[in-house]
């Protein structure tokens, strides 16, 4: 077990990964998995720490998954820095890093895709129609490769976590899914690898996502029960940032992600905003 400061073992093939995991299992250790696309920040590292607290061995996958990017999205530009990632993972004591290339992950003739159904359709699913099919497929592959006791995801990608919980339940995957709180910058911006795209001015404007989620929370605690009023106020606030373009803002049922007619219990506020060319998402659970 890696207690800190030595670099984790790096493997790049499924065969090496399975051997390393089998050795840990033979030692009687439980396995935790944190799937990532790299360019690691404190949000990712919080998943690693959660795994370290509960599991004997922590595996981190780093793979920029092409099948979850649509045409014209930022696959080629997506930040990649394996060396820096390994240093960060050494600091928080991750044991094993799996960083395959595309050929290793998607063998020739790959043709099987996971379609998770209704929870994958609204919000991100509407804007990025093939996104969750790519996410669910790669996550199921990783779960099959590693066979972890627990896998760790962030609430930052709230819908993704719902999609994965649905898939794991429906396909009888014997892994417990843990979802960890969103780690934010001092001004509330949710940490994201994509924040690296923001220049100083865009970075300043990006705080509007969190500000609008706080406004929604405030309106609900003041007694507002009409989701349309809250969405309108959030939209007005976001559109006041000069380079912000709204993809969507919605108040939805936290379980089904369907729109709600009236606020009668906990509700999820979710949004996607472009600041210039950078697309950012965030969400907050609003409580009455
Ligand atoms: P990504 O590398 O963007 O695919 O993210 C890998 C995992 O880290 C996903 O489960 C994300 O939800 C999670 N994650 C990303 N950003 C954050 C954050 N700011 N706080 C908590 N978890 C995060």
């Amino acid at each position: 077990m890696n207690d800190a400061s030595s670099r984790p073992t790096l493997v790049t093939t499924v065969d090496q990964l399975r051997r390393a995991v089998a050795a840990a299992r033979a030692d009687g250790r439980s396995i935790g998995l944190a799937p990532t696309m790299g360019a690691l920040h404190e949000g990712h590292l919080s998943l690693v720490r959660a795994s370290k607290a509960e599991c004997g061995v922590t595996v981190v996958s780093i793979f920029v998954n092409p099948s979850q990017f649509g045409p014209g999205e930022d696959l080629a530009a997506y930040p990649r820095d394996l060396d820096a990632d390994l240093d960060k993972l050494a600091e928080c004591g991750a044991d094993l890093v799996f960083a395959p290339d595309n050929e290793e992950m998607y063998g020739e003739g790959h043709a099987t895709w996971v379609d998770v159904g209704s929870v994958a359709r609204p919000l991100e699913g509407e804007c990025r129609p093939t996104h969750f099919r790519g996410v669910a497929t790669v996550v199921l592959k990783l779960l099959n490769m590693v066979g972890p006791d627990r896998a760790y995801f962030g609430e930052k990608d709230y819908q993704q976590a719902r999609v994965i919980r649905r898939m794991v339940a429906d396909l009888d995957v014997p892994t417990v899914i843990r979802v960890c709180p969103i780690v934010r910058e001092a001004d509330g911006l949710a940490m994201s690898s994509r924040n690296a795209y923001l220049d100083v001015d865009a970075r300043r404007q990006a705080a509007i996502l969190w500000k609008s989620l706080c406004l929604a929370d405030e309106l609900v605690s003041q007694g507002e029960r009409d989701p349309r009023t809250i969405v309108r106020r959030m939209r007005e606030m976001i559109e006041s940032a000069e380079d912000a373009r709204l993809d969507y803002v919605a108040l939805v049922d936290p379980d089904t992600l369907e729109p709600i007619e009236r606020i009668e219990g906990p509700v999820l506020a979710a949004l996607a905003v472009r600041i210039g060319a950078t697309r950012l998402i965030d969400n907050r659970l609003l409580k009455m």
Side-chain angles (χ1 to χ4, degrees), residues 34-44 46-47 63 68 78 152-158 160 164 180-184 189-194:
T36 82
M37 299 206 298
L40 300 180
H41 51 66
E42 278 299 317
H44 298 115
S46 73
L47 310 184
F63 177 63
Q68 71 188 69
Y78 198 84
Y152 297 81
F153 297 87
E155 236 163 38
K156 155 85 181 357
D157 299 275
Y158 186 99
Q160 168 174 288
I164 285 158
C180 303
I182 303 176
V183 179
R184 299 181 177 281
L189 176 65
M191 289 194 184
S192 164
S193 306
R194 291 190 166 97

Side-chain angles (χ1 to χ4, degrees), residues 234-272:
M234 290 175 78
R235 180 179 295 132
E236 284 166 5
M237 178 181 266
I238 291 159
E239 286 170 351
S240 74
E242 62 212 84
D243 300 316
R245 301 283 170 278
L246 198 59
D247 261 11
Y248 63 81
V249 53
L251 263 54
V252 298
D253 180 299
D255 287 324
T256 64
L257 305 183
E258 295 296 334
I260 50 154
E261 281 303 310
R262 215 174 148 71
I263 298 171
E264 287 165 343
V267 54
L268 184 82
L271 75 173

Side-chain angles (χ1 to χ4, degrees), residues 104-107 110 136-146:
E104 186 67 16
M105 190 54 99
Y106 293 103
H110 178 98
T137 302
V138 85
V139 170
L140 183 60
K141 284 167 71 65
L142 288 165
L143 293 172
N144 284 334
M145 290 168 184
V146 175

Side-chain angles (χ1 to χ4, degrees), residues 217 220-221 224-225 263-267 286-288:
D217 190 62
V220 171
S221 38
E224 181 58 62
R225 296 291 174 259
I263 298 171
E264 287 165 343
V267 54
L286 312 177
K287 296 196 178 117
M288 286 170 55

Side-chain angles (χ1 to χ4, degrees), residues 85-102:
D85 289 347
L86 291 173
D87 282 341
K88 289 174 194 164
L89 291 172
E91 265 173 53
C92 55
D95 299 285
L96 183 63
V97 171
F98 176 51
D101 63 17
N102 289 345

